[in-house]
């Protein structure tokens, strides 16, 4: 057989990566996370570290020189002593800590050499990392033509490696919990191929759709965008194609019956069954109004929807307001949908 056999990449979803990070921290074994630009590697590490109650030391080796890790030498009693950088915790520090080397694959070779010892032997010179410190690193893939160099095999062999794959369901759950605009979530659900779309061999725009840039879109909308420049501004965030589709979707979203009107009369409020984009918009907008006082009315409306839409909306309600799962309306809905897991 001639040629080189292509090996299929094995990837983890964001929720699976969370478990990998927790395992790495508990085992005190260095973890290297690979992934496309804007896929959420750094934010996931920050989130998990915070959830575990750990201190985060966020380091960027690509912005460092070797001396920044090895320390500056000084002469004491005719001997060279290395004054270590202040970001390293005291050797006797017992605070649970994650030392995160972000964009490590972009670090110069000389800096990577310095990191050999700290990642495997957990020390620099005579200094030893305390047992309370776990090491995690992240970097862009070379194939994405981002800020990424080749990680030396000597450094790579000191980590166990995972690759992050963007996942629609995981992103939607996260987006709802952190307050991403409902219209943004609804659009991405409708066009899942635009959650992350980047071809380094063809893309000529500076902006492209990815989890990071959709978060930016939501932030800009929360801040308020002049309608006269909305398309042009969003084109500079997610690219012209995605921005054009999103602005067209917003026109539909903004023309729908208000969620407040639906809540006032859930038995008779109109249902846009013949327009999928409008259904995504209505379900997303209404789920954001979930509360102990509104959930029964939302369930009343959900019971009139086709099952796939009803399930999606009620699941979103459970993320927005976990207490909604205790309501009489939800219990009745769950009985009629026994195969739905929350």
């Amino acid at each position: 057989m001639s040629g080189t056999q292509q090996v299929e990449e094995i990837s983890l979803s964001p929720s699976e990566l969370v478990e990998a990070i927790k395992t790495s921290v508990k085992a005190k074994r260095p973890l290297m996370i690979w992934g496309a630009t804007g896929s959420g590697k750094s934010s996931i590490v920050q989130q998990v570290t915070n959830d575990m109650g750990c201190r985060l030391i966020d380091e960027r080796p690509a912005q460092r020189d070797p001396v920044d890790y090895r320390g500056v030498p000084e002469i004491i009693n005719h001997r060279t002593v290395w004054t270590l950088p202040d970001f390293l915790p005291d050797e006797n520090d017992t605070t649970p800590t994650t030392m995160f080397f972000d964009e490590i694959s972009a670090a110069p070779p000389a800096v990577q050499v310095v990191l050999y010892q700290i990642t495997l032997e957990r020390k620099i010179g005579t200094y030893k990392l305390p047992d309370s410190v776990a090491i995690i690193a992240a970097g862009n893939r070379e194939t994405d033509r981002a800020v990424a160099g080749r990680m030396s095999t000597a450094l790579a062999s000191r980590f166990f490696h995972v690759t992050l794959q963007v996942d629609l369901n995981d992103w939607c759950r996260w987006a709802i919990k952190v307050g991403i605009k409902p219209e943004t979530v609804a659009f991405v659900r409708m066009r899942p191929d635009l959650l992350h779309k980047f071809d380094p061999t063809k893309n000529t725009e500076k902006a492209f759709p990815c989890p990071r840039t959709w978060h930016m879109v939501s932030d800009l909308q929360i801040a308020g965008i002049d309608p006269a420049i909305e398309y042009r501004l969003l084109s500079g965030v997610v690219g012209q194609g995605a921005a054009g589709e999103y602005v067209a979707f917003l026109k539909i979203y903004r023309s729908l019956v208000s969620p407040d009107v639906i809540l006032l009369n859930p038995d008779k409020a109109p249902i846009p069954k013949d327009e999928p984009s409008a259904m995504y918009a209505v379900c997303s907008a209404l789920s954001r109004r979930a509360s102990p006082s509104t959930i029964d009315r939302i369930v009343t409306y959900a019971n009139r929807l086709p099952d796939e839409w009803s399930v999606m909306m009620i699941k979103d309600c459970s993320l927005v307001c976990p207490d909604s799962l205790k309501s009489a309306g939800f219990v009745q809905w769950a009985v009629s949908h026994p195969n739905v897991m929350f």
Side-chain angles (χ1 to χ4, degrees):
M1 181 181 294
S2 61
T4 302
Q5 184 177 3
Q6 184 69 32
V7 178
E8 183 179 355
E9 186 175 72
I10 299 176
S11 303
L12 300 182
S13 69
S15 57
E16 291 170 334
L17 176 59
V18 167
E19 296 306 313
I21 292 172
K22 290 179 180 178
T23 300
S24 170
V25 170
K26 292 176 182 177
K28 298 295 187 298
R29 287 293 182 178
L31 168 67
M32 176 66 200
I33 305 167
W34 298 94
T37 302
S39 57
K41 301 181 294 295
S42 302
S43 60
I44 292 174
V45 171
Q46 293 165 5
Q47 172 199 324
V48 177
T49 297
N50 182 66
D51 291 345
M52 294 184 72
C54 296
R55 172 178 57 189
L56 178 67
I57 298 177
D58 193 342
E59 266 297 297
R60 307 295 169 115
Q63 302 170 16
R64 294 286 193 176
D65 291 319
V67 69
D68 293 331
Y69 292 111
R70 186 66 180 88
V72 178
E74 62 176 335
I75 305 299
I76 298 178
N77 296 328
H78 305 291
R79 299 177 68 88
T80 300
V81 178
W82 299 89
T83 56
L84 294 171
D86 60 1
F87 70 83
L88 290 175
D90 185 85
E91 290 189 39
N92 298 316
D93 193 333
T94 58
T95 305
T97 301
T98 298
M99 183 170 291
F100 180 39
F101 294 114
D102 203 359
E103 299 175 356
I104 191 173
S105 55
V111 173
Q112 292 191 26
V113 170
V114 177
L115 296 177
Y116 290 173
Q117 190 177 32
I118 194 170
T119 52
L120 182 63
E121 299 177 29
R122 299 177 58 83
K123 66 180 184 179
I124 300 177
T126 58
Y127 166 82
K128 293 184 178 181
L129 273 179
D131 291 337
S132 58
V133 176
I135 297 174
I136 296 176
N140 296 320
R141 302 173 302 189
E142 294 177 52
T143 53
D144 290 321
R145 298 185 179 180
V147 180
R150 180 177 295 277
M151 178 183 283
S152 71
T153 53
L155 181 58
S157 66
R158 285 160 164 78
F159 292 90
F160 74 91
H161 299 255
V162 298
T163 299
L164 173 63
Q165 178 66 50
V166 172
D167 180 85
L168 176 65
N169 291 329
D170 278 357
W171 183 84
C172 288
R173 283 192 289 268
W174 169 84
I176 291 169
K177 288 180 179 180
V178 301
I180 299 296
K181 293 279 282 182
E183 53 265 48
T184 306
V185 178
F187 174 75
V188 172
R189 268 205 173 111
M190 185 183 74
R191 287 299 312 275
D193 57 309
L194 292 180
L195 174 56
H196 193 289
K197 187 175 184 180
F198 177 68
D199 185 343
T201 64
K202 298 179 181 178
N203 196 70
T204 58
E205 290 187 271
K206 298 296 183 184
F208 60 93
C210 66
R212 178 192 297 159
T213 52
W214 285 120
H215 195 174
M216 292 170 62
V217 165
S218 176
D219 286 345
L220 290 174
Q221 289 187 285
I222 291 172
I225 303 176
D226 183 344
I229 64 169
E230 186 171 53
Y231 166 70
R232 285 174 287 170
L233 190 59
L234 296 182
S235 292
V237 183
V238 293
Q240 295 180 23
E245 290 193 46
Y246 184 58
V247 170
F249 174 81
L250 290 178
K251 291 180 180 179
I252 296 173
Y253 184 91
R254 291 163 181 165
S255 67
L256 295 172
V257 176
S258 165
D260 292 324
V261 172
I262 295 175
L263 290 173
L264 285 173
N265 194 3
D267 287 308
K268 296 182 179 179
I271 297 174
K273 292 182 178 180
D274 299 327
E275 181 52 64
S277 58
M279 286 289 284
Y280 276 110
V282 166
C283 291
S284 184
L286 197 56
S287 67
R288 293 301 178 94
R289 302 299 179 91
S291 70
S293 63
T294 63
I295 187 61
D296 287 346
R297 290 177 175 271
I298 293 175
V299 170
T300 297
Y301 189 76
N303 283 331
R304 298 171 55 208
L305 303 178
D307 274 353
E308 61 179 303
W309 302 102
S310 178
V311 170
M312 184 185 78
M313 185 167 69
I314 298 302
K315 280 189 172 183
D316 285 356
C317 287
S318 71
L319 295 173
V320 173
C321 178
D323 286 344
S324 64
L325 301 180
K326 303 174 184 177
S327 73
F330 171 79
V331 172
Q332 185 179 13
W333 181 90
V335 169
S336 62
H337 297 81
N339 295 323
V340 177
M341 301 294 293
F342 283 83

